[in-house]
Amino acid sequence: MADVTWTPEGEKLFAKLLAAVPEAMREPIKPKLIQMLAQRAGSGSIDEAAIKTMVQEDLPEPQKSALMQAIGMQAPPQQEGPVLEWSGKSEIMFELMLGEVPEGMRSIFRGKLSAVIAQKTQGGAVTDDHVNAVVNEIVPEPFKSNILKKFKTLGDFDPAIIAAIVERFGTSRDKLMFIMHAVQDEIGYLPREAMLAISDKTGIPVSAIYSVASFYKAFRLQRPGAHHVKLCCGTACHIHDTAGVGREIEHKIAASPGVSIEKTLCLGCCDCAPVVEIDGKVYKGAEAQAKIDSITLG
Amino acid sequence: MITCADDLVKAKEQGNKRLFGSRVRVNVGTSTCCLAKGAELTYNALAYGITSAGINAELVKTGCNGMCWAEPVVEVHQPGQPKIIYGKVTEKEIPRLVKAIANNEVLADLAIARVDSEDHILVGSIDYATDGASLAGHPVAAIETTDFAKMQHRVILRNAGAIDPENIDEYIARGGYFALAKALTMKPEKIVREVTESGLRGRGGAGFPAGIKWRMCREAAGDVKYLICNVSEGEPGIGMHRSFLESDPHAVVEGLIIGGYAIGARTAYIYVRDNYRVALQRITKAVNDAREAGLLGADILKSGFCMDIIVKEGGGRYVCGEETALLSCIEGKIGEPRQRPPFPTNSGLFGKPTCINNVETWANIPVIIEKGAAWYSAIGSAKSKGTKVLSLAGNISRAGMIEVDMGTKISQIIDVTGGGIPGGKKLKGIQPGGPSGGVLPASMARLTIDYDELAGAGSMLGSGGMVIMDDSNDMVKLARYFTDFFVNESCGKCVPCREGVCRVRDMLDELIAGRSDKTALKAFGDLAAPITKACACALGKTAMVPVTSTMKHFRADYDSYLQ
Ligand SMILES: Cc1cc2nc3c(=O)[nH]c(=O)nc-3n(C[C@H](O)[C@H](O)[C@H](O)COP(=O)(O)O)c2cc1C
Ligand code: SF4
Ligand code: FES
Ligand code: FES
């Protein structure tokens, strides 16, 4: 692989192509792309044409369309995704999956992935299994693991997770909060069954675990929505929120099932006040409004 | 592995190679607050631009350089030339910035300041502009001449924003861990004496002399002792401890190891608020890297001293910042304050002697050891020594993280460093340090950053979250906001705190609704005394301060609601 050569334009276009690949995947995918390009170019240097052909002919959808667009090629006409009928948790799962896609590519992925699902359902309703199958079959790592982890926040969890976590920290009382944080990171909240399992594995009475879980605001006893919003109610945000944006956000979310809200004191970005944290990222001002609108109306 | 002073020198060279290599260095501030303003987009766009333009650059994610008002902040240092600090570098500015980097040009309109050389308190002068070119007529102002920087003194923030917080070599290159090496050759008693003589007082609020606390813990009976670094930071409107931890985590690790050696503790806990994700990740990495380098664990720098640090994620309750509640939390119990005495220095974590200090207190330690008590105590005012890190927020032009000498006038901080009140409004109130310090009127801006002076005015320095309020703020509503905060944060153990403060909030609601007369104001005063007296911990004891302080200083606001 070390002996591939590039034309100057080819090298530039390749850099552009790589930059469009989400950061987490860039390194693992780079050698694979170069290998495909070397095959395309044969004994010559890799030029722009080789890259474009490779993207168009060697890459699977939906990456293909997204990358074609990113390197300035005319992407194949974007079909509106088919209208799907959702059942069970499948729609929330689908949204969680899309949430992992970089924002700019999301609309392309939405169409393509809907089409893949439509093929699987053959006109019937989409079930949780369909979405699971799509993630397992076509989503690459590390997104696959991330998404599957998020799916766990939707309820059912594997008791083995808790056994492994308790194993890691040990069973003494001072490790309890470490265990609870780890379990919550893993399944998104602390369901009753999880607390029972922690008690079972550590020997700490379940009443003690419950009192810790309910005393500390860091622990969630309810399943979070597909989107979770933390509204900052700290001093700086309070002073700056003269227009009552916070209350407006509260109302919007109250009217949107699937979105959960939590009030916190100071997200630590007082100089950007007022701010909200949406799905783990802090937003301010107009951006925050736009983001809230996109998750509450959509 | 770093096992002796020579290894430290080697690591220092490695770090300097990264900091001052042969290629252009580009720092992008990526603290939580920078990220909120789009620093991630800026970073990605820069990475792409630099790669596709074929520029050989060292692109680094740094912490907060304090200029939070100008985020996203990017610093560009071409070898041999002044470092240029750019502000508000949004994604759309990147193409021209990349072009400027490629052509070795300066974008004067985007630049905030240039740094020719830095006066670093540990390693002395750090020179950027070494190529000898004349700087006369440079289109960008020198940093030391800017209003934002000229009153600051960066002792604790010496590395913030300049180094990669996830790279231990860069910390060492700027004198890091040399204080530890020095301390390990000193007698523990001598270190405690040095800290006492420095005059360092706790930065967590009360200002208790650190050296005295250390001595009490050192002299307490028992072989097993603990240290705790308090990064609970639960007060609303404060972010500097997080920003600091995200910018220079190794300074805290170094302070704790020195403290462990001096006090005789072999385990330290760093207690970090649960929703400080970036800070948690960076301090955890710093602890792991220090351990991997041999600076934690067994036989540190061949001194025979062993120590380890555990990072503990908090539970998101303000009361857990109170030291005895903090102990319960680390023990895995609910965070209710305990009766004192016994004091934690005698019977703390798991019943063992424990020394609890604020994160900024710990970060002062390496400096005191390296520079000596005499040097340190020359900074600051008569009874408040050293510097203070403040987070400046609220109605202020330049909100950010700053550091000034103790004894600096508040009015100067607001007008010069902070750039005054925006929008043609006037200063109305100042909250010097969290709700427990109450709100001071504009006339008291003449006071200085000094524990005793602020306490004398009925307020407190607190941990340094300074909130500035302009004349559009209604102090009655503000008092209601703070009272509501205390109601929500009460742990519920004492009746006056749980019920009394709640009642006060209801009375404020009545007042705001226009259903109260003069007797209500008297009732506030009557309730304040018993609540303050009967509560078990400082949370309840200070819960009435927002009401009493605003009633005293902004009486007109209250009168306007009376029937
Ligand atoms: C309700 C309450 C909250 C507190 N929060 C903090 C905090 O967030 N950080 C802190 O360092 N100290 C906090 N303190 C002060 C601590 O109890 C303790 O005095 C301090 O950590 C000691 O460190 P120092 O001597 O270095 O200041 C709080 C105290 C009370 C009563
Ligand atoms: S004063 Fe309030 S916070 Fe403190 S122990 Fe009593 S109830 Fe708890
Ligand atoms: S008050 Fe909202 S971020 Fe600090
Ligand atoms: S510059 Fe971003 S946190 Fe200060």
Side-chain angles (χ1 to χ4, degrees), chain B residues 42-127:
Chain B
T42 299
Y43 180 88
N44 286 341
L46 259 175
Y48 169 53
I50 285 176
T51 327
S52 51
I55 302 171
N56 184 14
E58 182 102 51
L59 181 64
V60 180
K61 288 186 178 176
T62 58
C64 164
N65 75 352
M67 298 181 173
C68 311
W69 44 277
E71 287 158 337
V73 176
V74 175
E75 300 184 338
V76 177
H77 178 224
Q78 301 274 7
Q81 299 174 16
K83 176 163 87 173
I84 308 290
I85 305 174
Y86 292 104
K88 304 214 159 93
V89 188
T90 50
E91 214 181 350
K92 74 177 198 324
E93 305 286 0
I94 298 301
R96 66 184 186 118
L97 182 60
V98 169
K99 208 184 272 168
I101 296 174
N103 300 337
N104 193 7
E105 290 162 357
V106 170
L107 297 176
D109 64 314
L110 200 62
I112 298 176
R114 68 166 211 269
V115 186
D116 306 334
S117 115
E118 234 179 279
D119 192 12
H120 191 275
I121 53 149
L122 295 185
V123 295
S125 169
I126 298 179
D127 297 322

Side-chain angles (χ1 to χ4, degrees), chain A residues 232 234-237 266-270 275, chain B residues 237:
Chain A
C232 182
T235 312
C237 289
C266 193
L267 291 167
C269 307
C270 316
V275 295

